[in-house]
Amino acid sequence: MTIASAAWIELLNEIHADAQYGIVSADENAPLVMIEYSSPNTNKPLHLGHVRNNLLGNALANIVMANGNKVVKTNIVNDRGIHICKSMLAWQKYGNGETPESSGKKGDHLVGDYYVAFDKHYKAEVAELMEKGMTKEEAEAASPLMNEAREMLVKWEAGDPEVRALWQMMNNWVYEGFDETYRKMGVGFDKIYYESNTYLEGKEKVMEGLEKGFFFKKEDGSVWADLTAEGLDHKLLLRGDGTSVYMTQDIGTAKLRFADYPINKMIYVVGNEQNYHFQVLKLVLKKLGYADWSDHITHLSYGMVELPEGKMKSREGTVVDADDLMAEMIDRAKETSNELGKLDGLTQEEADDIARIVGLGALKYFILKVDARKNMTFNPKESIDFNGNTGPFIQYTYARIQSVLRKAAEAGIVIPQVLPANIELSEKEEGLIQMVADFAAVVRQAGEDYSPSGIANYVYDLVKEYNQFYHDFSILREENEDVKLFRVALSANIAKVVRLGMGLLGIEVPDRM
């Protein structure tokens, strides 16, 4: 059975009448979903792994919101602990009072350099001690530098004013750097929590659980949860010296969040190496009497991202920094666009803006088109291609449609609210209307699966089909006025859905290219 052309045109009229087609707004009774992403450490800049995390978290927040939920975007900053003390100690020892102003470096990069410096000096110490006949384990335990870092952490936890002042100063340098990176990346948060505030809340809850007999203490004074009955093992909650671990902080943060907001669901966007951690967190919260909301915790577990050259390590300074990566992508976009003549006739300012939109669009799309749960390799060169399943290909098609619409407007063509229904449509045109109509279901599915890649690949399929249509059918040169009007309207609605879909992924689309 074939559906009459008139029915297809009526469907296009409905889509055309809805400027936010496929997007459902939240009403006051909508569920509140909190999404945690980013979770950086204040001892180093954001890197490629954080880029995937931030882009997924931001896109997920947009998609969950587009499905009629209220959303709170949140970040937990890991601003305390031994790794933070390593940067602080190295700056104290080797920094000569260097600051972001005096060095011209972004604060997060400056602090990251001292994290790398600590590791270099520590390794040298260990090697020296091993030459004197110690085993590796003995040398690591005897390292004066590592022991100083541990002492610094104990002083920090005891509130030592000097250590706290140094910590405050260096963390503020890092926050300024992070803010700049987040701005460039186009991501943000409604509420930021800091581990330095939440770990004490967690400690309190753990001690309470110990008193009630939910947890047990070992001879060294460390506190553990026995989860063997639930098919897991023993999990450390507090070290013997009373210092906390990540789990302690996550218990405290969860408690604060559910006190701050009437959350219906909590989604953690965290790498898949933490799968076990979140299984444990749910069980521990349940034991602590938070069963009603521990059931509403979801872990969006995503795979690692590597470069064609392989793995990255922060300590050794072999990490691809988020700022450098974004700058490189923008440069590549400028180079490629110039070679293809896509920036001809634009002012310097316009060309720079398009290079930014295309470079960042290439980066975001390449990462988001992959199923979040899979490991992936990010290939900068491949991502910037103007052909194939890439951001620039989609952006270029959008700009092409905008050019068609500008010419149509110059020719005095105005799309009516209701298109004439007496046109014979080709199979290709009917297929395109069906694809545009599918957008609402794609957004719904992406919301159910927590999967931005569903939207990315849908948008690519849509523009691929449109490009074939553009190639095979004339739009503005069509002689039948009604058919011409229909094709302009179809093009406009495809552009609208592309803009909305890419917007959910946090990707801008340029009007000209």
Short mmCIF file of all heavy atoms in Angstrom, two decimals, residues 61-107:
data_model
loop_
_atom_site.label_atom_id
_atom_site.label_comp_id
_atom_site.label_asym_id
_atom_site.label_seq_id
_atom_site.Cartn_x
_atom_site.Cartn_y
_atom_site.Cartn_z
N ALA A 61 22.93 15.67 29.13
CA ALA A 61 22.06 16.64 29.83
C ALA A 61 21.08 17.27 28.84
O ALA A 61 19.88 17.39 29.14
CB ALA A 61 22.93 17.72 30.48
N ASN A 62 21.56 17.64 27.65
CA ASN A 62 20.68 18.24 26.63
C ASN A 62 19.60 17.25 26.20
O ASN A 62 18.44 17.63 26.02
CB ASN A 62 21.50 18.66 25.39
CG ASN A 62 22.46 19.79 25.68
OD1 ASN A 62 22.27 20.56 26.62
ND2 ASN A 62 23.50 19.92 24.89
N ILE A 63 20.00 15.99 26.02
CA ILE A 63 19.05 14.97 25.52
C ILE A 63 18.00 14.64 26.59
O ILE A 63 16.81 14.53 26.30
CB ILE A 63 19.82 13.70 25.08
CG1 ILE A 63 20.64 14.01 23.83
CG2 ILE A 63 18.87 12.54 24.83
CD1 ILE A 63 21.73 12.98 23.51
N VAL A 64 18.45 14.50 27.84
CA VAL A 64 17.52 14.20 28.94
C VAL A 64 16.52 15.35 29.10
O VAL A 64 15.32 15.15 29.31
CB VAL A 64 18.30 13.92 30.25
CG1 VAL A 64 17.38 13.89 31.46
CG2 VAL A 64 19.06 12.59 30.13
N MET A 65 17.02 16.59 28.93
CA MET A 65 16.15 17.77 29.01
C MET A 65 15.17 17.80 27.84
O MET A 65 14.00 18.15 28.01
CB MET A 65 17.03 19.03 28.98
CG MET A 65 16.54 20.12 29.91
SD MET A 65 17.55 21.61 29.81
CE MET A 65 19.18 21.04 30.15
N ALA A 66 15.64 17.39 26.65
CA ALA A 66 14.78 17.39 25.45
C ALA A 66 13.69 16.33 25.56
O ALA A 66 12.76 16.31 24.75
CB ALA A 66 15.62 17.14 24.20
N ASN A 67 13.80 15.46 26.55
CA ASN A 67 12.77 14.44 26.78
C ASN A 67 11.83 14.83 27.93
O ASN A 67 11.20 13.98 28.54
CB ASN A 67 13.42 13.08 27.04
CG ASN A 67 13.79 12.39 25.73
OD1 ASN A 67 12.92 11.93 25.00
ND2 ASN A 67 15.07 12.35 25.42
N GLY A 68 11.79 16.14 28.22
CA GLY A 68 10.79 16.63 29.17
C GLY A 68 11.18 16.53 30.63
O GLY A 68 10.32 16.59 31.51
N ASN A 69 12.48 16.36 30.92
CA ASN A 69 12.93 16.33 32.32
C ASN A 69 13.57 17.65 32.72
O ASN A 69 14.08 18.38 31.87
CB ASN A 69 13.98 15.23 32.50
CG ASN A 69 13.44 13.86 32.17
OD1 ASN A 69 12.65 13.30 32.90
ND2 ASN A 69 13.85 13.32 31.02
N LYS A 70 13.58 17.93 34.02
CA LYS A 70 14.41 19.02 34.52
C LYS A 70 15.78 18.42 34.77
O LYS A 70 15.88 17.25 35.20
CB LYS A 70 13.85 19.57 35.83
CG LYS A 70 12.51 20.26 35.70
CD LYS A 70 12.08 20.76 37.08
CE LYS A 70 10.59 21.06 37.09
NZ LYS A 70 10.01 20.86 38.41
N VAL A 71 16.82 19.20 34.55
CA VAL A 71 18.18 18.66 34.69
C VAL A 71 19.04 19.58 35.53
O VAL A 71 18.98 20.81 35.38
CB VAL A 71 18.83 18.44 33.29
CG1 VAL A 71 20.32 18.15 33.40
CG2 VAL A 71 18.14 17.29 32.56
N VAL A 72 19.85 19.01 36.42
CA VAL A 72 20.90 19.76 37.12
C VAL A 72 22.22 19.15 36.70
O VAL A 72 22.46 17.95 36.87
CB VAL A 72 20.75 19.65 38.66
CG1 VAL A 72 21.92 20.35 39.36
CG2 VAL A 72 19.45 20.27 39.11
N LYS A 73 23.07 19.99 36.09
CA LYS A 73 24.40 19.52 35.66
C LYS A 73 25.39 19.80 36.78
O LYS A 73 25.48 20.93 37.26
CB LYS A 73 24.83 20.27 34.39
CG LYS A 73 23.91 20.01 33.22
CD LYS A 73 24.38 20.68 31.95
CE LYS A 73 24.06 22.15 31.93
NZ LYS A 73 24.34 22.77 30.62
N THR A 74 26.08 18.75 37.21
CA THR A 74 26.95 18.92 38.37
C THR A 74 28.34 18.33 38.13
O THR A 74 28.52 17.48 37.27
CB THR A 74 26.27 18.29 39.61
OG1 THR A 74 27.14 18.40 40.72
CG2 THR A 74 26.00 16.83 39.40
N ASN A 75 29.28 18.82 38.91
CA ASN A 75 30.68 18.44 38.76
C ASN A 75 31.21 18.22 40.18
O ASN A 75 30.87 18.97 41.08
CB ASN A 75 31.41 19.63 38.09
CG ASN A 75 32.87 19.35 37.78
OD1 ASN A 75 33.41 18.29 38.09
ND2 ASN A 75 33.51 20.32 37.16
N ILE A 76 32.00 17.17 40.38
CA ILE A 76 32.69 17.02 41.66
C ILE A 76 34.18 17.21 41.38
O ILE A 76 34.74 16.50 40.56
CB ILE A 76 32.41 15.65 42.35
CG1 ILE A 76 33.30 15.44 43.59
CG2 ILE A 76 32.61 14.47 41.41
CD1 ILE A 76 32.86 16.13 44.82
N VAL A 77 34.78 18.19 42.01
CA VAL A 77 36.19 18.48 41.78
C VAL A 77 37.02 17.77 42.84
O VAL A 77 36.82 17.97 44.03
CB VAL A 77 36.44 20.00 41.81
CG1 VAL A 77 37.92 20.31 41.62
CG2 VAL A 77 35.63 20.70 40.72
N ASN A 78 37.95 16.93 42.38
CA ASN A 78 38.83 16.20 43.30
C ASN A 78 39.99 17.12 43.66
O ASN A 78 41.00 17.15 42.98
CB ASN A 78 39.31 14.91 42.63
CG ASN A 78 38.13 14.05 42.23
OD1 ASN A 78 37.32 13.66 43.06
ND2 ASN A 78 37.98 13.79 40.94
N ASP A 79 39.78 17.90 44.72
CA ASP A 79 40.71 19.00 45.02
C ASP A 79 41.58 18.72 46.23
O ASP A 79 42.17 19.63 46.80
CB ASP A 79 39.90 20.28 45.26
CG ASP A 79 38.99 20.19 46.48
OD1 ASP A 79 38.73 19.06 46.92
OD2 ASP A 79 38.55 21.23 46.98
N ARG A 80 41.63 17.45 46.68
CA ARG A 80 42.45 17.13 47.85
C ARG A 80 43.01 15.72 47.67
O ARG A 80 42.57 14.99 46.81
CB ARG A 80 41.62 17.19 49.13
CG ARG A 80 40.43 16.25 49.11
CD ARG A 80 39.83 15.96 50.45
NE ARG A 80 40.71 15.19 51.30
CZ ARG A 80 40.95 13.88 51.18
NH1 ARG A 80 40.38 13.19 50.21
NH2 ARG A 80 41.75 13.26 52.01
N GLY A 81 43.98 15.38 48.50
CA GLY A 81 44.53 14.02 48.42
C GLY A 81 46.01 14.05 48.10
O GLY A 81 46.59 15.10 47.84
N ILE A 82 46.61 12.87 48.07
CA ILE A 82 48.06 12.76 47.91
C ILE A 82 48.55 13.34 46.58
O ILE A 82 49.58 13.99 46.50
CB ILE A 82 48.54 11.28 48.10
CG1 ILE A 82 50.06 11.19 48.18
CG2 ILE A 82 48.00 10.38 47.02
CD1 ILE A 82 50.66 11.69 49.47
N HIS A 83 47.76 13.12 45.51
CA HIS A 83 48.20 13.61 44.18
C HIS A 83 48.25 15.14 44.15
O HIS A 83 49.11 15.72 43.48
CB HIS A 83 47.32 13.05 43.06
CG HIS A 83 45.86 13.10 43.35
ND1 HIS A 83 45.30 12.41 44.40
CD2 HIS A 83 44.84 13.75 42.75
CE1 HIS A 83 43.99 12.64 44.43
NE2 HIS A 83 43.69 13.46 43.44
N ILE A 84 47.34 15.78 44.87
CA ILE A 84 47.34 17.25 44.93
C ILE A 84 48.58 17.72 45.71
O ILE A 84 49.25 18.68 45.33
CB ILE A 84 46.05 17.79 45.61
CG1 ILE A 84 44.79 17.13 45.03
CG2 ILE A 84 45.98 19.31 45.54
CD1 ILE A 84 44.48 17.40 43.58
N CYS A 85 48.89 16.99 46.80
CA CYS A 85 50.06 17.34 47.62
C CYS A 85 51.36 17.20 46.83
O CYS A 85 52.32 17.93 47.06
CB CYS A 85 50.12 16.49 48.88
SG CYS A 85 48.82 16.94 50.06
N LYS A 86 51.39 16.25 45.89
CA LYS A 86 52.61 16.07 45.07
C LYS A 86 52.92 17.34 44.28
O LYS A 86 54.06 17.80 44.26
CB LYS A 86 52.44 14.88 44.12
CG LYS A 86 52.47 13.53 44.80
CD LYS A 86 52.17 12.43 43.79
CE LYS A 86 52.12 11.06 44.47
NZ LYS A 86 51.78 10.00 43.50
N SER A 87 51.90 17.91 43.63
CA SER A 87 52.10 19.16 42.86
C SER A 87 52.52 20.29 43.80
O SER A 87 53.40 21.09 43.47
CB SER A 87 50.82 19.60 42.15
OG SER A 87 50.36 18.60 41.31
N MET A 88 51.85 20.37 44.96
CA MET A 88 52.13 21.45 45.91
C MET A 88 53.58 21.37 46.40
O MET A 88 54.30 22.37 46.44
CB MET A 88 51.17 21.35 47.11
CG MET A 88 49.74 21.77 46.78
SD MET A 88 48.53 21.13 47.98
CE MET A 88 49.10 21.85 49.53
N LEU A 89 54.01 20.16 46.76
CA LEU A 89 55.36 19.97 47.29
C LEU A 89 56.41 20.29 46.22
O LEU A 89 57.41 20.96 46.50
CB LEU A 89 55.52 18.52 47.78
CG LEU A 89 56.84 18.18 48.46
CD1 LEU A 89 57.04 19.01 49.73
CD2 LEU A 89 56.89 16.68 48.80
N ALA A 90 56.16 19.83 44.99
CA ALA A 90 57.11 20.08 43.91
C ALA A 90 57.22 21.59 43.64
O ALA A 90 58.31 22.11 43.42
CB ALA A 90 56.68 19.34 42.65
N TRP A 91 56.09 22.30 43.69
CA TRP A 91 56.13 23.76 43.46
C TRP A 91 56.93 24.43 44.58
O TRP A 91 57.75 25.32 44.34
CB TRP A 91 54.71 24.33 43.42
CG TRP A 91 54.71 25.81 43.13
CD1 TRP A 91 54.77 26.41 41.91
CD2 TRP A 91 54.66 26.88 44.10
NE1 TRP A 91 54.77 27.78 42.03
CE2 TRP A 91 54.70 28.10 43.37
CE3 TRP A 91 54.59 26.92 45.49
CZ2 TRP A 91 54.67 29.35 43.99
CZ3 TRP A 91 54.57 28.16 46.12
CH2 TRP A 91 54.60 29.36 45.37
N GLN A 92 56.70 23.96 45.81
CA GLN A 92 57.39 24.53 46.97
C GLN A 92 58.91 24.33 46.84
O GLN A 92 59.69 25.22 47.12
CB GLN A 92 56.89 23.80 48.22
CG GLN A 92 56.76 24.67 49.44
CD GLN A 92 56.14 23.88 50.60
OE1 GLN A 92 56.35 22.68 50.73
NE2 GLN A 92 55.38 24.56 51.43
N LYS A 93 59.30 23.15 46.36
CA LYS A 93 60.72 22.81 46.29
C LYS A 93 61.43 23.39 45.05
O LYS A 93 62.56 23.83 45.14
CB LYS A 93 60.88 21.28 46.25
CG LYS A 93 60.74 20.61 47.60
CD LYS A 93 60.99 19.12 47.45
CE LYS A 93 61.08 18.41 48.77
NZ LYS A 93 62.13 18.88 49.68
N TYR A 94 60.73 23.32 43.90
CA TYR A 94 61.44 23.66 42.64
C TYR A 94 60.84 24.86 41.92
O TYR A 94 61.26 25.20 40.83
CB TYR A 94 61.43 22.46 41.67
CG TYR A 94 61.58 21.11 42.34
CD1 TYR A 94 60.57 20.15 42.30
CD2 TYR A 94 62.75 20.80 43.03
CE1 TYR A 94 60.69 18.92 42.93
CE2 TYR A 94 62.89 19.55 43.67
CZ TYR A 94 61.86 18.62 43.61
OH TYR A 94 62.00 17.41 44.24
N GLY A 95 59.84 25.50 42.53
CA GLY A 95 59.08 26.50 41.78
C GLY A 95 59.64 27.90 41.76
O GLY A 95 59.27 28.71 40.90
N ASN A 96 60.50 28.24 42.71
CA ASN A 96 61.04 29.61 42.79
C ASN A 96 59.96 30.68 42.69
O ASN A 96 60.13 31.70 42.02
CB ASN A 96 62.07 29.87 41.67
CG ASN A 96 63.23 28.89 41.77
OD1 ASN A 96 63.71 28.61 42.87
ND2 ASN A 96 63.65 28.34 40.64
N GLY A 97 58.79 30.38 43.30
CA GLY A 97 57.73 31.39 43.34
C GLY A 97 57.04 31.65 42.00
O GLY A 97 56.33 32.64 41.83
N GLU A 98 57.21 30.75 41.05
CA GLU A 98 56.59 30.92 39.71
C GLU A 98 55.06 30.98 39.83
O GLU A 98 54.46 30.21 40.58
CB GLU A 98 57.01 29.74 38.82
CG GLU A 98 56.54 29.87 37.40
CD GLU A 98 56.93 28.67 36.52
OE1 GLU A 98 57.19 27.57 37.04
OE2 GLU A 98 56.96 28.86 35.29
N THR A 99 54.43 31.88 39.08
CA THR A 99 52.96 32.01 39.07
C THR A 99 52.47 32.00 37.63
O THR A 99 53.28 32.15 36.70
CB THR A 99 52.52 33.35 39.71
OG1 THR A 99 52.98 34.41 38.85
CG2 THR A 99 53.08 33.55 41.11
N PRO A 100 51.15 31.85 37.42
CA PRO A 100 50.65 31.93 36.04
C PRO A 100 51.03 33.27 35.39
O PRO A 100 51.37 33.32 34.20
CB PRO A 100 49.13 31.80 36.20
CG PRO A 100 48.96 31.03 37.47
CD PRO A 100 50.08 31.48 38.36
N GLU A 101 50.98 34.36 36.18
CA GLU A 101 51.31 35.70 35.62
C GLU A 101 52.78 35.75 35.22
O GLU A 101 53.12 36.18 34.13
CB GLU A 101 51.03 36.81 36.65
CG GLU A 101 49.55 37.07 36.91
CD GLU A 101 48.89 35.97 37.74
OE1 GLU A 101 49.55 35.37 38.61
OE2 GLU A 101 47.69 35.70 37.49
N SER A 102 53.67 35.28 36.12
CA SER A 102 55.11 35.41 35.85
C SER A 102 55.55 34.49 34.71
O SER A 102 56.49 34.79 34.00
CB SER A 102 55.92 35.11 37.11
OG SER A 102 55.95 33.72 37.38
N SER A 103 54.84 33.36 34.54
CA SER A 103 55.27 32.39 33.52
C SER A 103 54.51 32.53 32.21
O SER A 103 54.91 31.98 31.19
CB SER A 103 55.08 30.97 34.05
OG SER A 103 53.70 30.74 34.26
N GLY A 104 53.35 33.25 32.28
CA GLY A 104 52.50 33.34 31.07
C GLY A 104 51.79 32.03 30.77
O GLY A 104 51.25 31.83 29.69
N LYS A 105 51.77 31.11 31.74
CA LYS A 105 51.09 29.81 31.52
C LYS A 105 49.72 29.83 32.16
O LYS A 105 49.51 30.49 33.17
CB LYS A 105 51.88 28.68 32.20
CG LYS A 105 53.13 28.26 31.46
CD LYS A 105 53.81 27.12 32.21
CE LYS A 105 55.14 26.76 31.56
NZ LYS A 105 55.94 25.90 32.42
N LYS A 106 48.79 29.05 31.58
CA LYS A 106 47.50 28.85 32.24
C LYS A 106 47.75 28.15 33.57
O LYS A 106 48.62 27.27 33.66
CB LYS A 106 46.60 27.96 31.38
CG LYS A 106 45.71 28.70 30.40
CD LYS A 106 44.88 27.71 29.59
CE LYS A 106 43.56 27.38 30.26
NZ LYS A 106 43.20 25.99 30.29
N GLY A 107 46.96 28.50 34.60
CA GLY A 107 47.20 27.97 35.93
C GLY A 107 47.18 26.45 36.01
O GLY A 107 48.00 25.84 36.71
#
